[in-house]
């Protein structure tokens, strides 16, 4: 039976502006996504029985409807009247519920993989619609671009054309941060202090020219994430982690997405390796990653 092996990459957010709250409860965002070298390995094996199954080496990854890969496979099978099934194997390297969009990336990868394996011939628009239905961070991974601007819920993607390559030390504390809870905390605190969500800071607009120019120092000075106050309110101990990374001599430090992953920007690969060696050995999930 035919099978395909695919890489499913993680992302970081270089800048994340929360620009408003929408009537559907989601937040309007402007963000710069960066695809990074940290990746899961996914194998899709065709079966003729119509069975859809998922196996994963990581014990905390659900193998039922909560997993986006099951959701998309079942939906495609129904919508496209596919008599075939698929056995999905996920080799997890990306930390789970960590602000790195591992689950979203797996969903996008299986969507593209099944389009190929089940010969569905879905149009670009159909792929984008399925991605948006699956989740806010899924669409970015359809575009095969190292950097992109994400707007709307994050699902409206404009690729950014630049040859810039960045190096990071990524630290993921072993704590689950649910995106829903971080956005929920942000909304509640905005309401409590009667603050308006506006795009005053416009972090994305400020960072973009530095990204185009490949000005690593400029990028580092303008990393920002509007979810950071909510992340730090939920986990005040992460202030210490951020400061530790700053003190090592990195160019800049920022949380990715809704956390808890935090990354330090390095000037090159050797600098990233040196930072990683100097970093507190007590943290188990520390990676040197680059733009991919
Ligand atoms: O789209 P996704 O399933 O990844 O979103 C998870 C949760 O994060 C949503 O249910 C919502 O509470 C919150 N969210 C948001 N605004 C966004 C993206 C996510 O409020 N733009």
């Amino acid at each position: 039976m035919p099978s395909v092996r695919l890489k499913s990459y993680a992302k970081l957010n270089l800048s994340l502006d929360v620009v408003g709250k929408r009537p559907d409860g989601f937040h309007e965002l402007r963000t710069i996504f960066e695809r990074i070298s940290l990746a899961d390995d996914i194998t899709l094996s065709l079966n003729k029985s119509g069975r859809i199954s998922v196996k994963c080496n990581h014990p905390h990854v659900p193998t039922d409807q909560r997993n986006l890969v099951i959701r998309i496979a079942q939906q495609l099978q129904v919508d496209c009247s596919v008599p075939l099934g698929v056995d999905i194997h996920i080799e997890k390297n990306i930390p789970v519920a960590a602000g790195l969009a591992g689950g979203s990336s797996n969903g996008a990868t299986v969507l593209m993989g099944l389009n190929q394996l089940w010969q569905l011939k879905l149009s670009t628009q159909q792929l984008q619609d399925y991605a948006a239905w699956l989740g806010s961070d899924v669409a970015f991974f359809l575009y095969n671009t190292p950097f992109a601007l994400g707007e709307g819920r994050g699902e409206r993607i404009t690729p950014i054309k630049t040859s810039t390559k960045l190096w990071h030390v990524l630290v993921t504390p072993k704590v689950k941060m649910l995106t829903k809870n971080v956005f929920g905390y942000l909304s509640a605190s905005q309401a409590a202090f009667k603050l308006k969500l506006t795009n005053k800071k416009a972090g994305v607009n400020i960072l973009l020219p530095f990204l185009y120019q490949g000005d690593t120092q400029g990028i580092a000075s303008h990393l920002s994430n509007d979810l950071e106050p909510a992340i730090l309110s939920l986990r005040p101990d992460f202030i210490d982690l951020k400061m530790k990374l700053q003190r090592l001599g990195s160019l800049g430090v920022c949380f990715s997405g809704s956390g808890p992953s935090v990354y330090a920007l390095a000037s090159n690969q050797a600098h990233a390796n040196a930072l990683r060696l100097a970093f507190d050995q007590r943290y188990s999930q520390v990676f040197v990653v680059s733009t991919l």
Side-chain angles (χ1 to χ4, degrees):
M1 277 280 119
S3 68
V4 282
R5 284 201 66 183
L6 302 158
K7 283 274 177 203
S8 175
Y9 294 99
K11 62 83 181 156
L12 297 179
N13 300 84
L14 294 181
S15 184
L16 194 159
D17 299 339
V18 180
V19 298
K21 180 113 192 254
R22 309 173 4 154
D24 63 4
F26 280 83
H27 291 77
E28 192 72 17
L29 305 181
R30 292 192 84 227
T31 186
I32 298 176
F33 290 115
E34 178 193 3
R35 187 176 60 185
I36 56 168
S37 49
L38 185 63
D40 296 338
D41 292 296
I42 298 189
T43 308
L44 303 180
S45 307
L46 198 69
N47 71 61
K48 280 192 175 160
S49 68
R51 173 186 68 239
I52 293 172
S53 73
V54 63
K55 286 206 176 94
C56 182
N57 64 323
H58 191 301
H60 294 151
V61 172
T63 52
D64 57 21
Q65 282 270 337
R66 286 169 297 166
N67 193 319
L68 297 189
V69 304
I70 287 278
R71 240 182 271 173
I72 191 62
Q74 289 180 340
Q75 195 63 39
L76 290 173
Q77 202 180 38
V78 171
D79 290 353
C80 307
S81 310
V82 182
L84 303 164
V86 65
D87 297 304
I88 304 167
H89 187 267
I90 306 172
E91 197 66 27
K92 259 271 155 231
N93 302 307
I94 307 171
V96 178
L100 303 170
S104 298
S105 172
N106 291 174
T109 303
V110 170
L111 168 59
M112 291 186 287
L114 288 180
N115 192 32
Q116 193 186 326
L117 198 67
W118 285 347
Q119 300 180 3
L120 303 177
K121 299 192 172 71
L122 295 174
S123 67
T124 306
Q125 187 58 54
Q126 283 173 309
L127 289 170
Q128 286 167 8
D129 290 345
Y130 276 116
W133 169 77
L134 268 185
S136 308
D137 281 343
V138 179
F140 168 61
F141 298 101
L142 298 180
Y143 283 77
N144 191 19
T145 179
F147 295 100
L149 173 67
E151 294 174 291
R153 279 159 50 213
E155 88 291 7
R156 268 188 7 240
I157 300 297
T158 310
I160 295 171
K161 288 198 175 68
T162 172
S163 55
T164 300
K165 179 168 180 170
L166 303 174
W167 286 90
H168 313 264
V169 176
L170 172 66
V171 181
T172 306
K174 286 205 161 164
V175 171
K176 261 195 188 176
M177 296 282 286
L178 290 180
T179 308
K180 202 171 137 215
N181 296 349
V182 177
F183 275 105
Y185 192 92
L186 179 82
S187 285
S189 52
Q190 300 284 352
F193 295 109
K194 297 208 172 6
L195 291 173
K196 235 179 124 203
L197 289 166
T198 58
N199 193 18
K200 272 189 210 118
K201 195 156 59 88
V204 165
N205 293 348
I206 297 169
L207 193 136
L208 264 177
F210 296 106
L211 183 60
Y212 280 117
Q213 289 155 22
D215 179 343
T216 314
Q217 184 66 65
I219 294 167
S221 308
H222 297 94
L223 298 170
S224 70
N225 185 337
D226 282 353
L227 294 176
E228 180 171 312
I231 296 167
L232 292 180
S233 299
L234 289 165
R235 292 297 305 226
D237 50 319
F238 291 167
I239 296 171
D240 184 45
L241 168 61
K242 202 182 162 192
M243 278 170 64
K244 271 187 188 145
L245 277 168
Q246 260 155 354
R247 274 195 235 111
L248 284 183
S250 63
L251 303 182
V253 179
C254 193
F255 283 95
S256 181
S258 52
S261 294
V262 59
Y263 61 87
L265 189 57
S267 34
N268 52 41
Q269 183 174 13
H271 186 209
N273 286 332
L275 290 175
R276 198 249 172 280
L277 277 177
F279 188 68
D280 198 327
Q281 299 298 321
R282 278 176 305 169
Y283 288 91
S284 55
Q285 301 190 102
V286 187
F287 312 89
V288 169
V289 298
S290 63
T291 309
L292 202 101

